[in-house]
Amino acid sequence: MWTLVTLAFAPIPILPAPQLDTLTERDISLTAPAFVATQDEIEYDDRFYDNRREGTYLQIGIGLATTSTSDGPGEEVDFDEGYAIPIALGWRMNGDDGDRFVFDAEIEAYWSDQDADESNEIADVSVLGGFLNGVGDWMFNDWFSGYAGAGVGITWVDASETDDGLGSFDDSDGPLFSWQLKAGLRWYVTEESSWSLGYRFVNIDDAEIDDDIDNVSFDLETEQHVVEVGYRFML
């Protein structure tokens, strides 16, 4: 009986409340609300800024160009596939923290050259011009993005000489108002460099091409479709 009385009046131990400065990382993770971001998620968000550093860049590209059929001096002018070389100097402007959208403003030089079909009276057509572009870049993750943009500029169009039995066409025209649209995907290799794969449509005002022997002229229509790859690096 004395044993039962002793147990009944034995003091009940009171555990001290845990202090904040003694809580372990495991304690915090167990008591934190479910919607609080983990450290891994915070680091993942920060990585969006690693590969989109603000500043000046240079981008060099090369593409396969196809020009739409144009009216000619006697019959329509058809073109074989040619090439295009765009070179852009731009400035990348980041958005606010947490915003995956990036805006690029750039000055772009553009050169293309295409042979006309052998049955035509024009042998070769080349284009040289410059554009002012605005391009939006949306970051899907820290290394991959999609871009789309537009630009306006001026170009010169040159049609090379070919004898058609009646005369000879060797003329150029410009400056001509031009505009373009482009879109594609960008892959970031490092913070300083990236590759892109894209498409652009270039529209140039009609060029008046004259026969340098006979008094014959025609308007050459130039609408180009270009599939291109590009390499960009920060300066």
Side-chain angles (χ1 to χ4, degrees):
M1 179 176 178
W2 287 108
T3 303
L4 294 176
V5 172
T6 303
L7 292 175
F9 288 91
I12 299 175
I14 299 176
L15 298 178
Q19 302 298 319
L20 292 177
D21 55 354
T22 62
L23 291 176
T24 64
E25 183 176 355
R26 179 177 178 275
D27 296 328
I28 296 175
S29 64
L30 291 175
T31 57
F35 60 84
V36 175
T38 66
Q39 184 65 27
D40 291 340
E41 291 173 340
I42 296 174
E43 292 176 355
Y44 180 76
D45 289 340
D46 289 342
R47 288 201 301 270
F48 279 110
Y49 303 98
D50 293 342
N51 291 330
R52 54 180 231 176
R53 181 170 65 84
E54 186 174 73
T56 307
Y57 64 84
L58 181 66
Q59 179 165 314
I60 302 173
I62 186 169
L64 179 67
T66 300
T67 299
S68 301
T69 299
S70 169
D71 292 336
E75 58 184 10
E76 291 184 337
V77 179
D78 296 317
F79 295 92
D80 298 328
E81 284 72 18
Y83 64 89
I85 301 177
I87 301 176
L89 178 66
W91 175 263
R92 163 157 279 209
M93 293 169 280
N94 290 340
D96 297 331
D97 290 348
D99 186 2
R100 300 183 184 184
F101 180 76
V102 182
F103 182 77
D104 299 335
E106 59 187 26
I107 301 173
E108 184 176 52
Y110 179 80
W111 162 266
S112 69
D113 187 85
Q114 287 186 267
D115 292 333
D117 189 83
E118 295 180 355
S119 62
N120 296 311
E121 300 175 357
I122 301 298
D124 177 87
V125 173
S126 60
V127 172
L128 176 64
F131 292 90
L132 294 176
N133 301 325
V135 182
D137 204 340
W138 178 262
M139 306 291 296
F140 298 127
N141 54 37
D142 62 316
W143 57 270
F144 194 62
S145 69
Y147 70 87
V152 295
I154 57 173
T155 55
W156 285 260
V157 176
D158 181 78
S160 70
E161 180 177 359
T162 180
D163 295 326
D164 61 2
L166 298 176
S168 178
F169 290 91
D170 186 10
D171 195 16
S172 61
D173 192 14
L176 303 169
F177 175 76
S178 307
W179 58 270
Q180 66 173 347
L181 301 172
K182 58 182 179 178
L185 300 173
R186 190 178 307 281
W187 175 50
Y188 293 86
V189 183
T190 67
E191 179 182 351
E192 305 291 334
S193 61
S194 62
W195 286 94
S196 61
L197 174 64
Y199 161 82
R200 78 171 66 205
F201 172 75
V202 180
N203 185 283
I204 303 171
D205 281 353
D206 294 353
E208 183 178 346
I209 305 300
D210 298 318
D211 187 341
D212 60 359
I213 296 178
D214 299 327
N215 187 23
V216 177
S217 65
F218 72 100
D219 291 333
L220 181 67
E221 303 164 9
T222 307
E223 295 181 351
Q224 295 185 332
H225 304 271
V226 183
V227 177
E228 62 190 16
V229 294
Y231 179 72
R232 173 187 293 190
F233 57 92
M234 305 299 293
L235 300 178

